[in-house]
């Protein structure tokens, strides 16, 4: 019965788990807030990012407990889209608090349950201080988008990007007040600066028009085909030996007739813009069929990716056509104009004036190099998610560490009436990590700032937070630093959940 009485092993396992998870949290702690730094991760490719979920996704993390924090930030990315750094920093802080409680001899299960109750109270407190928002209130939406962009590389362009983000989300809101982010397409083009990013009415394609045919078509009928315009191939590789020149001629004639027949059928249905899906088995198009298409004044665009099909169908109202026999007019989408435009040295195809268009939006993004573009895309994605959160749950809270301090103060008040008040107090102190980190990253004295913040909140200034730009404490509502309620509540719930899981583990065993 010796093994059962060994209590020190469980303690060591918990300590090792907490250490590993805290190491991950400390690694990305410096990238929190508007003055946060970026991380550069290199492996097969170089990624430069400030987004917590992206950094952790690319980091090679070996310890299983530390992996849970990677999953945690991915969960926050799915749930709220923003606050991926905060959620990991918060989890790290809760683990530190739990470690102190363990040293005092509090039972792990008690810590886990105490934290769970404290988290539920914290969410109630946040809902209590939240400000309801209406979707018609464009100002509030713009402010939230700007706040989300403020901690990213593209912060100085937020006056350009915030309106784009708000408009594109409002464009794709459906009846049930839900937003599918995949309905917003971001086309990245190198050249120009981020200032040149624009929201385009209609649809933008990354592919270029095949030269030879028309590059501008008015009153377009758009067909999207998933079959190939090239001579058919048998399933197996085989060779046919032709020893007579006349037979050779017949084969070539046959090929021409076959292709001409296909193209004529397409023309007959009234289609004058043809999108051709990428093909794996054989060439999607060959030069002969392209020649025929150009002759019949049909604009052709090839290399349409498989995952773009659904979006294109939704945007243009056309249906994908898998077989030439089902190529009929009712499957075509209609638009006023399809043209290839060249700007900043790169070409794009723009489809505008689409008749029965679905709810989609296209954003053309420009930037100096690939890294800037990728990071800008991630920033816009975060901002889109912030507006999506507001559509889902229409309430705002202020930022700048204000809600965290408020929660901390009120939980400390509640703790006095609780049986496990020690867990409540630990949770309340752990919440202060967000304002502390903000102050550290800004280069202010965390102790002075957080003490001053507590003082202001105790005197009833619920919206006092850290003003990173001026390096002092000010009213966050007047500074327009606001964020959706969903981002913070989901961060607290998810972080507490993860910490509870780590607390319950008392042994690590290898699988065979």
């Amino acid at each position: 019965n010796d093994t059962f009485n060994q209590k020190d092993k469980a303690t060591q396992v918990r300590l090792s788990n907490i250490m590993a998870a805290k190491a991950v949290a400390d690694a990305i702690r410096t990238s929190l807030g508007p003055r946060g730094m970026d991380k550069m991760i290199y492996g097969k490719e170089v990624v430069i990012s400030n987004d917590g979920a992206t950094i952790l996704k690319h980091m090679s993390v070996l310890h299983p407990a530390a992996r849970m924090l990677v999953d945690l930030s991915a969960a926050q990315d799915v749930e709220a889209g923003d606050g991926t750094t905060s959620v990991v920093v918060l989890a790290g802080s809760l683990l530190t608090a739990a470690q102190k409680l363990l040293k005092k001899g509090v039972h792990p299960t008690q810590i886990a349950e105490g934290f769970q109750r404290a988290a539920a109270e914290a969410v109630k407190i946040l809902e209590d201080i939240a400000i309801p928002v209406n979707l018609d209130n464009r100002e509030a939406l713009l402010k939230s988008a700007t706040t989300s962009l403020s901690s990213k590389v593209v912060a100085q362009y937020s006056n350009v990007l915030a309106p784009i983000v708000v408009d594109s989300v409002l464009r794709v809101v459906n009846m049930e007040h839900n937003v599918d982010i995949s309905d917003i397409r971001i086309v990245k083009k190198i050249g120009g600066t981020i200032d040149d990013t624009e929201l385009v009415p209609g649809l933008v394609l990354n592919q270029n028009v095949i030269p030879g045919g028309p590059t501008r078509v008015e009153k377009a009928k758009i067909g999207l085909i998933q079959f190939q315009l090239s001579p058919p191939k048998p399933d197996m590789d085989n060779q046919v030996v032709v020893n007579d020149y006349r037979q050779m001629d017949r084969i070539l004639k046959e090929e021409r007739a076959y292709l001409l027949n296909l193209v004529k059928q397409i023309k007959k249905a009234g289609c004058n813009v043809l999108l051709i899906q990428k093909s794996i088995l054989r060439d999607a198009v060959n030069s002969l069929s392209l020649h025929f298409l150009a002759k019949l004044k049909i604009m052709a665009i090839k290399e349409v990716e498989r995952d773009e099909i659904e979006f294109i169908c939704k945007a243009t109202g056309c249906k994908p056509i898998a077989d030439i026999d089902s190529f009929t007019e009712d499957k075509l989408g209609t638009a006023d104009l399809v043209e290839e435009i060249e700007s900043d040295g790169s070409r794009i195809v723009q489809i505008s004036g689409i008749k029965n268009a679905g709810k989609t939006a296209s954003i053309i993004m420009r930037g100096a190099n690939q890294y800037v573009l990728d990071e800008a895309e991630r920033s816009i994605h975060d901002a889109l998610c912030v507006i999506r959160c507001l559509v889902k749950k229409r309430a705002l809270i202020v930022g700048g560490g204000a809600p965290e301090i408020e929660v901390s103060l009120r939980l400390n008040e509640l703790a006095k009436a609780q049986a496990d008040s020690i867990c409540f107090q630990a949770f309340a102190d752990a919440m202060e990590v967000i304002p502390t980190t903000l102050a550290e990253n800004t280069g202010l004295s965390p102790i002075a700032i957080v003490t001053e913040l507590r003082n202001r909140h105790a005197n009833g200034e619920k919206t006092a937070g850290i003003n990173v730009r001026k390096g002092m404490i000010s009213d966050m509502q007047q500074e327009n630093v606001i964020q959706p309620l969903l981002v913070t509540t989901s961060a607290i719930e998810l972080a507490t959940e993860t910490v509870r899981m780590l607390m319950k583990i008392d042994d690590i065993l290898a699988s065979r």
Side-chain angles (χ1 to χ4, degrees):
N1 206 8
D2 218 18
T3 342
F4 185 70
N5 293 330
Q6 277 182 351
K7 285 278 181 285
D8 58 340
K9 179 163 190 202
T11 320
Q12 275 167 357
V13 166
R14 276 195 196 93
L15 270 183
S16 110
N17 281 349
I18 290 176
M19 283 303 170
K22 269 167 62 182
V24 170
D26 290 342
I28 75 171
R29 213 177 126 170
T30 50
S31 69
L32 182 80
R35 288 272 190 277
M37 295 298 171
D38 288 12
K39 310 276 178 228
M40 186 178 202
I41 305 130
Y42 71 95
K44 295 189 187 100
E45 48 181 346
V46 178
V47 177
I48 301 174
S49 179
N50 177 296
D51 177 49
T54 310
I55 297 171
L56 289 178
K57 192 172 79 189
H58 289 282
M59 241 162 65
S60 74
V61 179
L62 297 177
H63 196 288
R67 281 230 190 108
M68 284 172 68
L69 283 200
V70 178
D71 297 340
L72 164 71
S73 87
Q76 173 76 0
D77 202 26
V78 172
E79 178 64 33
D82 200 16
T84 45
T85 315
S86 323
V87 71
V88 177
V89 172
L90 193 58
S93 172
L94 287 172
L95 285 171
T96 312
Q99 193 180 358
K100 285 179 189 155
L101 291 177
L102 285 172
K103 281 199 180 131
K104 287 180 186 165
V106 183
H107 194 278
T109 313
Q110 208 176 349
I111 299 176
E113 282 169 6
F115 276 7
Q116 186 66 22
R117 276 207 291 286
E121 288 299 330
V123 172
K124 278 186 200 151
I125 295 168
L126 286 173
E127 281 168 357
D128 182 41
I129 59 171
I131 314 152
V133 65
N134 194 343
L135 283 189
D136 304 335
N137 180 356
R138 193 181 156 84
E139 271 304 290
L141 297 179
L142 280 174
K143 285 174 194 166
S144 331
T146 311
T147 305
S148 169
L149 291 167
S150 70
S151 64
K152 311 281 192 252
V153 179
V154 293
Q156 70 265 36
Y157 301 110
S158 54
N159 57 345
V160 182
L161 298 181
I164 290 180
V165 166
V166 173
D167 291 342
S168 60
V169 172
L170 291 181
R171 202 179 272 189
V172 299
V173 175
N174 60 15
M175 294 305 161
E176 298 89 56
H177 295 301
N178 208 343
V179 176
D180 185 3
I181 295 287
S182 63
D183 286 345
I184 299 169
R185 174 137 187 242
I186 300 176
V187 174
K188 298 181 288 191
K189 286 288 183 189
I190 295 180
T193 58
I194 296 180
D195 270 338
D196 303 330
T197 300
E198 53 183 339
L199 177 65
V200 184
L203 171 71
V204 175
L205 295 175
N206 231 333
Q207 294 80 2
N208 295 340
V209 173
I210 296 172
T215 54
R216 176 191 166 100
V217 176
E218 287 179 20
K219 294 198 178 60
K221 289 270 174 82
I222 303 160
L224 174 58
I225 60 168
Q226 295 181 305
F227 56 87
Q228 296 88 4
L229 294 179
S230 57
K233 259 188 190 167
D235 292 338
M236 321 181 289
D237 268 345
N238 48 16
Q239 290 177 334
V240 180
V241 180
V242 179
N243 48 19
D244 184 6
Y245 189 72
R246 279 170 303 187
Q247 283 173 315
M248 188 73 199
D249 239 13
R250 266 181 59 197
I251 293 173
L252 289 173
K253 263 193 190 136
E254 202 51 43
E255 181 183 334
R256 288 188 62 145
Y258 172 78
L259 290 177
L260 192 55
N261 183 22
L262 287 184
V263 176
K264 272 185 179 161
Q265 252 172 304
I266 291 173
K267 183 68 179 174
K268 196 171 135 199
C271 164
N272 53 11
V273 174
L274 192 62
L275 308 177
I276 303 161
Q277 182 185 314
K278 240 181 180 171
S279 160
I280 312 167
L281 301 172
R282 51 181 198 183
D283 308 338
V285 282
N286 64 5
S287 48
L288 195 56
S289 52
L290 288 181
H291 166 75
F292 287 145
L293 286 172
K295 268 276 168 49
L296 291 172
K297 298 271 183 294
I298 299 177
M299 177 181 197
I301 299 162
K302 62 176 184 178
E303 305 274 319
V304 175
E305 295 286 347
R306 200 152 277 197
D307 44 10
E308 296 176 314
I309 298 275
E310 194 183 341
F311 182 84
I312 292 175
C313 292
K314 202 168 187 178
T316 58
C318 65
K319 296 191 180 80
I321 303 164
D323 182 35
I324 186 67
D325 298 329
S326 56
F327 199 107
T328 50
E329 195 166 353
D330 56 324
K331 299 209 167 117
L332 304 181
T334 45
D336 290 343
L337 177 65
V338 178
E339 66 171 333
E340 183 175 48
I341 36 184
E342 184 169 343
S343 58
D344 292 319
S346 58
R347 289 179 176 188
I348 47 172
V349 177
Q350 192 174 340
I351 303 176
S352 47
I354 300 168
K355 289 296 181 292
N356 41 12
K359 294 193 164 183
T360 56
S362 298
I363 300 173
I364 301 183
M365 259 190 113
R366 305 197 177 280
N369 58 32
Q370 201 57 47
Y371 303 131
V372 172
L373 275 175
D374 289 344
E375 180 59 1
E377 182 185 22
R378 283 191 284 269
S379 314
I380 282 199
H381 176 266
D382 278 11
L384 289 171
C385 289
V386 162
I387 307 293
R388 183 188 67 180
C389 287
L390 284 180
V391 173
K392 274 206 285 200
K393 195 170 185 178
R394 300 181 184 189
L396 287 166
I397 50 175
V398 292
E404 285 83 6
I405 289 281
E406 184 69 22
V407 165
S408 170
L409 273 175
R410 291 212 205 167
L411 280 181
N412 267 325
E413 284 299 306
L414 283 171
K416 292 168 188 167
Q418 297 287 340
D420 47 3
S421 62
I422 187 166
C423 295
F424 261 67
Q425 278 168 344
F427 190 94
D429 295 343
M431 287 300 292
E432 288 180 358
V433 70
I434 302 280
T436 312
T437 308
L438 272 177
E440 276 174 18
N441 287 351
T442 314
L444 307 168
S445 151
I447 298 172
I449 288 279
V450 174
T451 316
E452 168 74 0
L453 258 183
R454 273 194 217 132
N455 181 19
R456 294 266 188 107
H457 278 258
N459 293 339
E461 291 183 40
K462 287 184 184 172
T463 53
I466 302 171
N467 185 343
V468 178
R469 299 250 154 20
K470 295 181 184 153
M472 53 183 261
I473 288 172
S474 50
D475 183 354
M476 289 287 116
Q477 216 167 340
Q478 285 166 1
E479 295 288 341
N480 294 335
V481 179
I482 50 179
Q483 57 188 9
L485 172 65
L486 195 64
V487 171
T488 311
T489 53
S490 104
I492 291 177
E493 284 168 348
L494 291 170
T496 314
E497 199 84 303
T498 306
V499 172
R500 278 190 66 199
M501 288 222 19
L502 282 170
M503 283 289 97
K504 296 252 172 143
I505 297 171
D506 75 337
D507 205 347
I508 298 180
L509 308 165
S511 69
R512 54 186 179 152

